[in-house]
Amino acid sequence: GTKKKAACPGLGLFYTVLSAFLFSVASLFLKKIEDVHSVEVSAFRCVFQMAFVLPGLIYYKTGFLGPKGKRVFLFFRGFLGSSAMILLYYAFQVMPLADATVITFSSPVFTSLLAWIFLKEKYSLWDLLFTLFALTGVVLIARPPFLFGSHVTGIEGSYTDHLKGTIAAITSTVSTASTIVILRKVGKSVHYFLSIWYYAVIGLMGCVIALFVMNEWRLPYCGRDRVFLILIGLLGLGGQIFLTKALQIEKAGPVAIMKTMDVVFAFILQILFLNHLPTWWTVGGALCVVASSSGTAIRKWQQSLKKAKQSEI
C-alpha cells in the first residue's frame, strides 16, 4: 500500500500562533473603529465568512443544511457562536483590549464544567481548582467596588461601561464553551465549512434584526473605518480557519496551551498601538486565567494520552 506523507512537525502549533495573531490584530482594528456599533461590525464579519465559505460548500458538496440528525446542533452552534462574537466585540469596544482577551481566555475552564454536565465527562478536584483560579482572575480584572473600593483605576471610560464589558466578555466565554461542547457532540460527522456557514448565516440574521430594533445601522463615515471593517472580516475568517486546521492535525492539549499567545499579543498590541499600560491587577488576573486554562489543557491532554495507551494494550 501507499504510505501517507508525514505531516510537518509543529505545523499545528504554528497554525495556532498564526490564528492568535490574526484574532488579536482584528481586535486592535475593532478598537480603532469609531461610531460603528459592535453588532454592525459582527454583521460585516458574517458577510465575509459567508462569501468565503460558500465556494467551499459547493466544492465539497456538503449542502447548506447538513445531515438531518445534526441540524439542531448546528443551529445552536451558530446561535451561540455568533452571540459569543457579538458580545466579545462589544467587550473589546468598552474595556481594555488585554482585559477582555484575558476573560475570554478562561473558556477551557467553562468548557470542562459544561462537558461534565452535558457530556458526562470527568470533572475532578483539579478542574474545580482551575475553575476557582479562573474566577479569581476575572474578579481581579473586573475589580468590583465592594472589594476594591469606589476609586477603580486602569479602566477605559466609566466603571459602568467596564462592568458591562466584563459581563459581556464572561457571557461570550460561556457561549464559546457551549459551542465547543456542541462541536464535540457533533464530532467529525459534519464538515467544518458547514459549521462556519451556520455560524455566519445565523449570526447575520441576528445582527440585522438587532440593528433594526436598536436603530443603529449606519455606514462608516470615514474611509479608514471601512478598510478596518474589511480587514476585521478577513482576519477573523483567517484566524478561524487556521485554528480549525490546527485542531485537525494537532492534539487539543498543545493547541490550547499555545493559545496563551492570544493574551501575549493582546498585551503587546495594547501597549504599542493603544498607549494603554495594563495595571498590576490585570497582570495578576491574566496569570491566574492563563495558569487555569493551561492547567486544564494539560490535564485533558494527559487524560487523552492515557486513554490512547490503554486502547493500544
Side-chain angles (χ1 to χ4, degrees):
T2 58
K3 293 183 178 179
K4 288 185 177 181
K5 190 177 180 180
C8 178
L11 183 61
L13 299 182
F14 171 74
Y15 282 159
T16 306
V17 175
L18 183 57
S19 170
F21 178 73
L22 294 178
F23 280 136
S24 299
V25 175
S27 303
L28 175 65
F29 289 155
L30 180 62
K31 295 286 290 184
K32 290 288 188 179
I33 288 181
E34 300 176 357
D35 299 326
V36 180
H37 199 278
S38 58
V39 178
E40 186 173 350
V41 179
S42 303
F44 274 97
R45 177 176 167 180
C46 289
V47 170
F48 274 95
Q49 288 193 177
M50 289 174 63
F52 279 86
V53 169
L54 183 59
L57 294 178
I58 297 173
Y59 177 79
Y60 289 107
K61 299 178 181 179
T62 61
F64 297 98
L65 297 178
K68 286 186 177 181
K70 307 294 183 181
R71 291 174 186 174
V72 174
F73 296 110
L74 285 170
F75 170 81
F76 281 105
R77 181 267 184 271
F79 175 76
L80 292 170
S82 57
S83 298
M85 172 184 62
I86 295 169
L87 291 167
L88 178 59
Y89 281 5
Y90 175 77
F92 280 140
Q93 286 188 332
V94 299
M95 66 188 302
L97 179 64
D99 289 20
T101 302
V102 169
I103 292 175
T104 57
F105 197 71
S106 60
S107 176
V109 179
F110 291 104
T111 302
S112 298
L113 181 60
L114 293 175
W116 171 59
I117 296 172
F118 294 104
L119 301 181
K120 308 303 179 185
E121 293 186 5
K122 187 177 179 181
Y123 191 80
S124 65
L125 289 175
W126 279 107
D127 295 314
L128 178 60
L129 179 63
F130 294 143
T131 302
L132 294 176
F133 256 92
L135 294 176
T136 301
V138 171
V139 169
L140 290 177
I141 292 170
R143 299 190 289 284
F146 67 89
L147 289 177
F148 293 84
S150 57
H151 300 288
V152 181
T153 59
I155 63 175
E156 290 180 0
S158 65
Y159 180 76
T160 302
D161 286 339
H162 183 80
L163 183 60
K164 288 180 180 178
T166 301
I167 294 172
I170 294 172
T171 309
S172 172
T173 302
V174 176
S175 297
T176 301
S178 302
T179 301
I180 295 173
V181 171
I182 291 173
L183 289 174
R184 283 187 191 174
K185 180 72 175 178
V186 172
K188 296 182 180 180
S189 60
V190 175
H191 198 280
Y192 71 92
F193 268 171
L194 190 61
S195 175
I196 298 174
W197 173 256
Y198 265 81
Y199 176 102
V201 171
I202 295 175
L204 179 60
M205 292 170 59
C207 289
V208 170
I209 294 171
L211 287 170
F212 276 104
V213 170
M214 297 184 299
N215 196 24
E216 287 285 350
W217 174 262
R218 65 172 67 91
L219 287 175
Y221 298 111
C222 178
R224 186 190 68 169
D225 286 349
R226 298 178 186 182
V227 174
F228 282 159
L229 280 174
I230 294 172
L231 290 175
I232 288 171
L234 293 175
L235 292 170
L237 177 66
Q240 196 167 37
I241 289 176
F242 279 119
L243 181 59
T244 304
K245 295 296 293 181
L247 289 169
Q248 286 184 333
I249 62 178
E250 185 61 79
K251 288 180 169 54
V255 170
I257 296 170
M258 192 59 68
K259 269 187 67 62
T260 54
M261 292 303 297
D262 286 46
V263 178
V264 175
F265 287 135
F267 274 95
I268 293 173
L269 295 176
Q270 177 174 299
I271 295 170
L272 291 180
F273 297 101
L274 300 177
N275 298 320
H276 187 93
L277 290 173
T279 64
W280 286 111
W281 294 116
T282 298
V283 174
L287 291 175
C288 287
V289 172
V290 168
S292 173
S293 58
S294 299
T296 301
I298 292 172
R299 285 276 299 169
K300 297 299 181 184
W301 186 17
Q302 288 176 340
Q303 290 173 2
S304 65
L305 291 176
K306 187 177 179 180
K307 287 182 180 179
K309 288 182 179 179
Q310 288 177 349
S311 62
E312 290 176 359
I313 297 175

